[in-house]
Amino acid sequence: VEGLEPSAEAANPHGLDICHGTLESADFAPESFDVITAWAVFEHLHDPMRAFRHVERWLKRGGRLIIVVSNIKSLASRFAYQEDIPRHLYVFSEQTLAEYARAVGLSLKTVTHDTRFFGGSGRGVVRVRLFQMLGGSPLGYFQAMKLPLAQRLRYYPLIAAAGVPLAALERILMPDWLICRLRLNGIILAMMQKPAA
């Protein structure tokens, strides 16, 4: 087991062999790994194609890449503009993941939509849209939600008062199973594979 970490100050509580660098700059030997995982990494990279090329080279034949990335087709991305820019430099869809995989000689084998990873249900979109209809912006909504309740009630009484009933309505209208089935959740878990021969 080896790790790759961009921060030299990051803790290593299990004493693993950890190289410092990025997926774009690391230099592991070809065909070194059976499995490579990257959880919430690719959306932060300046050159994801370069990283995909490196990963393909590092994987043994039949090896797998398992990644978690943001879903550009999610409710939060489409209606609340929650791509987390500038921290997220790229946002992915199933189609773009398949294209990246194909471009480097991997194949996209499975895609899982699940709200258990980093939340990702998209609930809150109705409240964001209401805030916009009242003249606010999505960013303004999220800033307002950071205020203490007393201040929210004073500055945004309609939003503060409507928050609980709208949240309950969203839970009824947008249960996790439906969000995942419609592929509208915020996170995609994808498994790509290098050909065995």
Side-chain angles (χ1 to χ4, degrees), residues 113-154:
H113 288 266
D114 198 318
T115 57
R116 292 177 292 178
F117 305 112
F118 309 109
S121 68
R123 286 189 288 270
V125 169
V126 173
R127 288 167 276 167
V128 171
R129 298 304 272 189
L130 174 62
F131 194 80
Q132 284 183 278
M133 289 189 306
L134 296 172
S137 68
L139 179 59
Y141 170 81
F142 292 105
Q143 289 171 340
M145 291 303 103
K146 292 179 183 177
L147 295 173
L149 181 58
Q151 285 182 327
R152 264 187 282 156
L153 284 167
R154 185 170 17 154

Side-chain angles (χ1 to χ4, degrees), residues 55-180:
V55 166
E56 186 280 331
R57 193 177 82 243
W58 299 333
L59 283 172
K60 293 178 182 176
R61 299 219 172 263
R64 297 176 178 186
L65 168 64
I66 302 169
I67 64 174
V68 170
V69 293
S70 299
N71 179 9
I72 189 66
K73 295 187 175 185
S74 72
L75 287 174
S77 186
R78 292 167 131 182
F79 300 109
Y81 315 108
Q82 287 300 290
E83 292 87 8
D84 201 8
I85 296 169
R87 290 184 341 110
H88 287 176
L89 304 175
Y90 287 83
V91 188
F92 299 89
S93 68
E94 290 182 46
Q95 293 81 8
T96 58
L97 288 172
E99 289 300 318
Y100 274 109
R102 190 173 9 265
V104 300
L106 301 174
S107 57
L108 182 61
K109 293 294 188 181
T110 62
V111 173
T112 303
H113 288 266
D114 198 318
T115 57
R116 292 177 292 178
F117 305 112
F118 309 109
S121 68
R123 286 189 288 270
V125 169
V126 173
R127 288 167 276 167
V128 171
R129 298 304 272 189
L130 174 62
F131 194 80
Q132 284 183 278
M133 289 189 306
L134 296 172
S137 68
L139 179 59
Y141 170 81
F142 292 105
Q143 289 171 340
M145 291 303 103
K146 292 179 183 177
L147 295 173
L149 181 58
Q151 285 182 327
R152 264 187 282 156
L153 284 167
R154 185 170 17 154
Y155 297 122
Y156 307 103
L158 183 58
I159 294 296
V164 172
L166 286 177
L169 181 64
E170 285 178 325
R171 282 206 171 273
I172 294 167
L173 296 178
M174 300 186 309
D176 286 356
W177 68 267
L178 180 60
I179 296 299
C180 293

